[in-house]
Each structure stands twice: as structure tokens, then as C-alpha cells.
Amino acid sequence: MDGLWVPAVLYVLASVGGSAFGFGLVFVNTYIGQNMLLELRFRLAEHLEKLPISYFHRTPVGDTVSRLTSDVETINTVLSQSSAQAMGFSNLPVDIVKVIGVLAAMYFISPRLTLMALVAVPVVYLVSRYFRKNTYRTQLQVRRSVG
């Protein structure tokens, strides 16, 4: 038992430090992201004020408001998803290292099974690409309906 105290204390310190760093990362990302969104909203409002009246005669106001709201919310989603469970820009380097580490561990355990799993990657990519395109079309229809 005497030999376990040092690793246990180090583990707890590493966990607390990692949690504190994660909190700081989320806090800074949220702060910067929300300030960027505020600035974007102000610029969009200024842009709308400068549009000629003919634009509003041609384009229904609901379409314009729906599009602006949807686009800003999409940017908000991308900027705000920086927690450990979600994919955000700040997690990209960490996630790449994790994927490489998992692939290396898989390869050391079973090279054949790792290669079989990697063969499935293009199939998953093609299926997700198909659904992404269809989702985009559906989002456009929803945007038109809301507008």
C-alpha cells in the first residue's frame, strides 16, 4: 500500500489539472466565440440597414430573417462546441492524436483487424456524404418554409 500513495496523488493532481485546463479552454472559447457572434450580429444589422428598398421588395422579409438567424446559429454551434464530448475547432489536434494513438494500439493488438476496420472508413465517408447532401436540401426547404 505504501507504494500506491505517490501514483494515486499524481493521478488525482493530473485529473484536477486536466479538468481545470479543460474548464479554462471552454471558458476562453465561449468568451471569444460569443464576442465574435455579437460583432457578427452588429455587422449583419448594419448591412441590412444599408440594403436598398428594392431588395426588400424582391425578397420576403421572413426569408432574410430566417437565413440570418439560421446562419448565425450555425456559426454559434461550431464555435461553442468545444467540450470534451463535442467536436469543435479547439479539439481537432487532440482528436487527431487520439485517433493516431488508437490506431497504433489497434495495430499492435491485431494488424489484420486494424486493416479490416480501415477498409470501412471510405464506406462510412460515402454514406455520411450522402446524408449530408440530403440534410442540406432538407434544411433549405425548412428555411424556405420558416421564411
Side-chain angles (χ1 to χ4, degrees):
M1 292 298 286
D2 291 337
L4 290 179
W5 283 105
V6 172
V9 169
L10 290 176
Y11 176 76
V12 168
L13 289 175
S15 294
V16 170
S19 295
F21 181 77
F23 172 79
L25 183 66
V26 169
F27 181 82
V28 168
N29 282 346
T30 302
Y31 181 79
I32 292 171
Q34 291 303 313
N35 282 330
M36 288 172 58
L37 286 172
L38 181 65
E39 180 68 24
L40 178 63
R41 287 182 177 116
F42 279 134
R43 288 186 183 197
L44 286 172
E46 288 174 0
H47 179 71
L48 283 175
E49 290 173 351
K50 293 176 184 175
L51 289 174
I53 294 295
S54 61
Y55 170 81
F56 294 104
H57 287 295
R58 287 189 322 264
T59 309
V61 175
D63 287 350
T64 303
V65 172
S66 173
R67 182 157 188 179
L68 290 177
T69 304
S70 174
D71 290 350
V72 169
E73 187 57 37
T74 301
I75 294 170
N76 182 31
T77 301
V78 169
L79 291 176
S80 66
Q81 290 185 344
S82 60
S83 66
Q85 294 83 18
M87 177 61 186
F89 287 122
S90 62
N91 287 347
L92 191 58
V94 173
D95 289 341
I96 288 172
V97 170
K98 284 181 185 178
V99 167
I100 291 170
V102 167
L103 284 173
M106 286 172 55
Y107 185 79
F108 286 122
I109 292 171
S110 174
R112 186 185 308 173
L113 188 59
T114 302
L115 293 176
M116 289 172 51
L118 288 176
V119 167
V121 170
V123 174
V124 171
Y125 171 76
L126 293 174
V127 170
S128 66
R129 186 174 173 200
Y130 169 78
F131 282 112
R132 183 177 46 100
K133 284 183 179 180
N134 287 336
T135 301
Y136 178 72
R137 288 187 203 122
T138 305
Q139 284 177 341
L140 286 178
Q141 291 174 349
V142 168
R143 194 179 285 172
R144 285 189 196 109
S145 298
V146 170

